[in-house]
Amino acid sequence: MASESFAESRDRGCHVIGRAWRGMAAHLSSGRVNLTALREAGRRELREFLDKCAGSKAIVWDEYLTGPFGLIAQYSLLKEHEVEKMFTLKAGRLPPADVKNIIFLVRPRLELMDIIAENVLSEDRVRSPLRDFHILFVPRRSLLCEQRLKDQGVLGSFIHREQYSLDLIPFDGDLLSMESESAFKECYLENDQTSLYQAAKGLMTLQALYGTIPQIFGKGDCARHVANMMIRMKREFPGGQNSIFPIFDTLLLLDRNVDLLSPLATQLTYEGLIDEIYGIQNTYVKLPPEKFAPKKQGEGGKDLPTEPKKLQLNSAEELYAEIRDKNFNAVGSVLSKKAKIISAAFEERHHAKTVGEIKQFVSQLPHMQAARSSLANHTSIAELIKDITTSEDFFDNLTVEQEFMSGIDTDKVNNYTEDCIAQKHPLIKILRLVCLQSVCNSGLKQKVLDHYKREILQTYGYEHILTLNNLEKAGLLKLQTSSRNNYPTIRKTMRLWMDDVNEQNPNDISYVYSGYAPLSVRLAQLLARPGWRSIEEVLKMLPGPHFEERQQLPTGLQKKRQQGENRVTLVFFLGGVTYAEIAALRFLSQMEDGGTEYVIATTKLINGTNWIKSLMEKLEPPPF
C-alpha cells in the first residue's frame, strides 16, 4: 500500500506517508462482528514496542510489510511515539538520520538478515556512537535468522529482538487476511506448516477477543492441522476458560486445494475484474492515469498525468460498497441511476430560496461532492474494464473457460489454447487455461498432458520445466490416473454449473462467474443447510479429510438465539481466496431466508494470476 511513500520518504523524511496512512476504521465496525477491536489490539502491541525504545526513532521497513501495516496504524500513531524518519530496507549504508534508535521491521527471511547486517556494519560509530539498534520480526522470531545475524557478527548490536504477531489484518467489515504471500506454496509444495501455525495463532487471538467458537468444521489436510493446533493451544493455554460471550457460532476451515477451480477461472464481479486486470494490493489499486485527467475546455490532451492513479477500495465508500460484488454487466445501470440522482441533487440549488433552504443545501454539499467524485472515479474504472471485457480475446478466453467448467471437450487438446501458445500469449494465461482444463477433467490423459508440456517448453523456454513440476506437485496440472473423471459427478451434485444465470438480479451465487458457482462457497452454503451429510459421496471425492469438532463453552455462555437472529460463520480459506468467492459469500449473507452471515478470513487475497505466479520458478542460466 504505502510502499511508494516509504521509498520517497528515504529522501524526504516522513511527510509523504501521512497522506497514504489516513485513519480508516469506521467501515471495520459496520458488520455483525466489530473488527475494530482486532485492529486496536494490533495498534496496542505496536505502541508498547515503540515505547520500549526510549528517544527518537527511525524505522527501516521491509518493503512488503508497509501495505499490511498501513491497515493497522496510520503515520500519526508512529509520530506520537517519536518516530521521526522512515527508510526502506536496502543494501549499503543507512541514510543519515539524527535519531537515538534504529528499528528494523522485517519478515524472518535470511536474505533480509544479510542486508540488515550490511546496514549495521557500515554504520559510522565515530559519527554516531550512541545509536541503539532494535529488530522486530513480523509475525515470528526465527532462530535461523538470529543465527545468520550472529554469523555476520551483528547479533549483539540489537538491544531488543522481538516479534510482532500481525496474524490477521482487518481489510473490511467482514474480511481478514494474513497476507502471507507464499502460504499456498509452503503448504502444498514445501510441506512447511509455518503459515498454518500462524493461522491457528490468529484464530486464538480472534477467540480471545470474540469468544470461543463452539463448532469447528473443516475439509482438507491443512484444515485438519489448523484445527489440531487450535485444540492443542487451547489445552496448553494457561488462564483457563474464556468468559467472553461467543460472537461466532461456527468456524469452517477450507483447504484451497479442495477447490482449485475457482481461482483459475476469470472473476466477473466488479471488484474481481479490477483485481484480475490491475491487481488490488492491501485495498489499493493503481490505474492508468489518462481516464482520470480533469477535462478542461479547449486544452486538448496536453499535460496528461503520467503517475498512476492510486485509489483505496473498501466499503467506507458508499458507492463502491454497493457495486463491488455485482456482476460487471450489472454495474453500468447502477452508475447511470446514481448519475441522475446526483445531478438532480445539485439542481436543487436553483430551488433553494430561503436562508434556511440555502443553509441546508450548503450543509449537504460536502457529501454530494464526495458522491460526485466517487461516481466519476468508478465510471472511469468501469470504462477501463469495459475496453478489456468487450475485446475479442477476452470473449474467446471466457468462452473456453466456460466450456471446460460446464464439461465440454475437457479430455482433448484445446484449439484456442494451442493458438494462444503459437501466438506466444502471456505464459500465465496459458497455464491458467491448461490447469483449468486439468481440474475440470480430474487430470489430463498422458498424450494431452505431454503435448501441452512440450508446446509450452518449446515456445516459452525450457527454464519453465520447474514451474510445470510445481503445478503438478500442487495438483493443478496432473495425469488422469483412473479412467474415471469425478468432476461431472461433483458438478451435478453440487450444482456448480447453472445455465440460466441472472446477472442483474441474481438468485444464486453462480452469478459471480456468470454460470459457475464456486465449489468452496457451495460447501459453505450446504454446510449451513441442510448439512454435509447430504453430500458425503462428493466430500469423499475431494482431497483431504472432512471433520467436525466441538469446543466446550462455560455454563452461562451458551447461545440462546433470538427469533429471526442469524448465525455467524467464519470461513477461513487456507491457501488464499478470490474476490469472486468473497462476493458469493456476501450474497449468501444478504439472502432474506439465508439464516447465516459470513465473515471471511484467509492466508492471502489471490487471483489466478498472482496465485500461479507464486508457484512459478525460473531456472537461472549458469553465470559462465
Side-chain angles (χ1 to χ4, degrees):
M1 173 207 137
S3 44
E4 305 70 40
S5 315
F6 283 114
E8 291 168 276
S9 75
R10 289 193 70 129
D11 315 314
R12 294 191 275 155
C14 307
H15 312 299
V16 205
I17 301 159
R19 286 206 304 274
W21 275 15
R22 290 192 193 93
M24 43 151 296
H27 61 290
L28 296 182
S29 54
S30 56
R32 261 297 282 280
V33 182
N34 182 351
L35 295 178
T36 318
L38 182 65
R39 180 173 177 262
E40 209 29 68
R43 290 160 67 90
R44 192 166 52 245
E45 198 183 332
L46 183 61
R47 285 197 293 263
E48 283 166 9
F49 177 78
L50 291 173
D51 289 343
K52 280 183 187 171
C53 314
S56 55
K57 307 167 187 63
I59 295 183
V60 182
W61 287 94
D62 168 352
E63 200 158 3
Y64 182 81
L65 292 175
T66 57
F69 259 89
L71 298 173
I72 295 287
Q74 315 86 323
Y75 174 54
S76 57
L77 178 126
L78 302 179
K79 212 169 174 180
E80 281 164 23
H81 294 265
E82 298 185 87
V83 174
E84 292 178 8
K85 289 273 167 74
M86 305 228 210
F87 308 117
T88 307
L89 183 64
K90 284 190 181 156
R93 290 180 68 141
L94 287 169
D98 184 18
V99 290
K100 173 89 173 64
N101 300 281
I102 301 271
I103 300 170
F104 291 94
L105 231 144
V106 289
R107 288 166 299 165
R109 301 255 164 135
L110 290 175
E111 65 274 19
L112 299 179
M113 297 308 109
D114 296 339
I115 300 175
I116 291 173
E118 195 181 335
N119 282 178
V120 173
L121 291 169
S122 60
E123 189 65 5
D124 188 346
R125 280 290 171 204
V126 181
R127 279 211 346 261
S128 48
L130 297 172
R131 264 193 193 175
D132 293 341
F133 289 102
H134 314 273
I135 189 162
L136 190 56
F137 289 106
V138 182
R140 302 271 167 266
R141 270 175 81 165
S142 142
L143 288 170
L144 280 176
C145 288
E146 296 193 14
Q147 185 58 48
R148 177 67 69 96
L149 291 171
K150 192 176 179 182
D151 296 344
Q152 301 269 18
V154 296
L155 189 66
S157 307
F158 295 98
I159 292 173
H160 290 111
R161 295 196 302 274
E162 296 194 15
Q163 66 184 29
Y164 175 70
S165 49
L166 189 67
D167 290 315
L168 283 167
I169 305 155
F171 271 60
D172 223 309
D174 59 356
L175 179 60
L176 302 158
S177 174
M178 287 165 39
E179 284 309 284
S180 162
E181 81 274 41
S182 47
F184 182 82
K185 187 179 185 183
E186 286 168 8
C187 293
Y188 296 103
L189 260 58
E190 295 160 358
N191 208 7
D192 172 355
Q193 289 172 13
T194 312
S195 57
L196 300 182
Y197 172 75
Q198 257 170 265
K201 287 288 272 192
L203 284 163
M204 296 311 281
T205 306
L206 273 188
Q207 291 188 107
L209 290 168
Y210 302 106
T212 300
I213 306 174
Q215 274 188 311
I216 302 175
F217 291 91
K219 173 69 182 153
D221 289 317
C222 295
R224 184 66 271 184
H225 278 306
V226 171
N228 288 348
M229 283 191 253
M230 284 173 70
I231 292 160
R232 197 171 67 234
M233 285 171 187
K234 189 166 187 254
R235 214 177 32 237
E236 293 166 359
F237 181 66
Q241 292 292 351
N242 182 340
S243 56
I244 296 170
F245 193 80
I247 289 180
F248 296 104
D249 297 279
T250 309
L251 165 65
L252 169 58
L253 294 162
L254 279 180
D255 276 34
R256 182 68 276 172
N257 79 338
V258 168
D259 170 16
L260 293 170
L261 201 164
S262 300
L264 293 170
T266 302
Q267 307 171 67
L268 296 174
T269 57
Y270 181 55
E271 186 166 39
L273 276 166
I274 295 175
D275 191 38
E276 292 277 359
I277 299 165
Y278 298 107
I280 300 172
Q281 282 193 315
N282 303 297
T283 73
Y284 280 79
V285 66
K286 285 182 181 169
L287 299 155
E290 312 79 65
K291 287 265 187 207
F292 297 91
K295 293 180 177 64
K296 292 199 181 106
Q297 247 78 48
E299 284 196 8
K302 67 172 200 262
D303 294 338
L304 275 178
T306 50
E307 281 292 296
K309 174 85 171 169
K310 190 172 178 180
L311 291 174
Q312 186 166 26
L313 302 173
N314 61 36
S315 59
E317 186 185 356
E318 234 170 274
L319 176 58
Y320 188 63
E322 188 180 334
I323 60 176
R324 67 193 301 178
D325 300 319
K326 289 190 182 302
N327 182 294
F328 184 63
N329 288 336
V331 169
S333 59
V334 177
L335 293 177
S336 62
K337 235 181 257 160
K338 280 275 181 278
K340 285 182 188 128
I341 293 167
I342 289 171
S343 62
F346 274 100
E347 282 305 308
E348 284 293 307
R349 70 179 187 278
H350 302 305
H351 307 301
K353 299 282 189 286
T354 68
V355 173
E357 287 170 346
I358 292 168
K359 208 170 172 185
Q360 194 189 349
F361 179 81
V362 170
S363 72
Q364 289 168 348
L365 208 52
H367 181 75
M368 284 159 59
Q369 283 167 331
R372 184 159 66 178
S373 118
S374 167
L375 177 70
N377 282 338
H378 289 291
T379 306
S380 299
I381 297 173
E383 283 170 7
L384 285 166
I385 292 174
K386 196 165 184 237
D387 290 345
I388 287 163
T389 57
T390 49
S391 69
E392 200 177 325
D393 188 52
F394 186 88
F395 179 77
D396 292 345
N397 187 72
L398 191 62
T399 305
V400 171
E401 281 185 15
Q402 300 210 325
E403 283 173 358
F404 288 158
M405 291 189 286
S406 54
I408 300 168
D409 290 344
T410 53
D411 56 348
K412 50 179 188 259
V413 171
N414 182 274
N415 291 340
Y416 173 73
T417 308
E418 270 201 309
D419 290 347
C420 289
I421 296 173
Q423 292 163 27
K424 216 168 174 182
H425 282 215
L427 176 59
I428 289 186
K429 172 185 172 177
I430 308 297
L431 295 176
R432 277 177 78 165
L433 282 170
V434 174
C435 290
L436 185 68
Q437 183 177 349
S438 167
V439 173
C440 292
N441 199 58
S442 302
L444 299 168
K445 291 186 182 129
Q446 186 78 58
K447 202 170 76 187
V448 176
L449 184 61
D450 288 347
H451 177 81
Y452 279 140
K453 281 174 149 175
R454 190 170 58 247
E455 292 290 304
I456 287 168
L457 294 175
Q458 285 178 356
T459 306
Y460 296 93
Y462 282 88
E463 67 268 27
H464 294 292
I465 197 156
L466 288 182
T467 296
L468 293 177
N469 186 35
N470 283 352
L471 296 174
E472 283 188 65
K473 256 194 198 162
L476 281 159
L477 190 58
K478 64 177 191 185
L479 189 62
Q480 195 178 59
T481 41
S482 70
S483 54
R484 186 144 181 261
N485 172 7
N486 282 331
Y487 179 70
T489 312
I490 299 169
R491 188 183 72 238
K492 287 179 191 121
T493 313
M494 304 288 282
R495 301 190 355 270
L496 296 188
W497 185 258
M498 310 292 272
D499 280 317
D500 45 346
V501 173
N502 185 338
E503 294 172 342
Q504 303 293 329
N505 297 302
N507 53 8
D508 181 73
I509 58 171
S510 53
Y511 83 93
V512 299
Y513 290 98
S514 294
Y516 163 71
L519 169 58
S520 55
V521 184
R522 271 283 190 256
L523 284 169
Q525 187 181 13
L526 291 167
L527 175 66
R529 190 183 295 170
W532 275 358
R533 283 206 182 87
S534 60
I535 50 160
E536 283 285 342
E537 285 311 303
V538 164
L539 285 172
K540 284 180 192 146
M541 292 174 183
L542 298 169
H546 56 284
F547 60 88
E548 177 182 354
E549 296 282 351
R550 291 188 180 271
Q551 299 200 85
Q552 238 9 78
L553 291 175
T555 330
L557 289 185
Q558 276 87 355
K559 260 198 171 179
K560 302 223 178 358
R561 194 160 292 101
Q562 305 298 313
Q563 184 66 40
E565 187 191 351
N566 284 345
R567 299 172 62 81
V568 182
T569 295
L570 174 65
V571 185
F572 202 131
F573 289 83
L574 300 160
V577 67
T578 63
Y579 285 107
E581 289 168 296
I582 293 168
L585 282 165
R586 285 181 180 146
F587 175 79
L588 293 180
S589 294
Q590 284 154 11
M591 272 169 73
E592 285 298 313
D593 54 348
T596 306
E597 285 181 51
Y598 294 93
V599 175
I600 302 119
T602 180
T603 48
K604 177 93 178 73
L605 291 161
I606 59 169
N607 58 46
T609 300
N610 59 29
W611 186 47
I612 295 279
K613 206 180 245 174
S614 76
L615 298 170
M616 288 177 81
E617 240 168 282
K618 248 187 142 174
L619 260 175
E620 293 303 327
F624 43 82

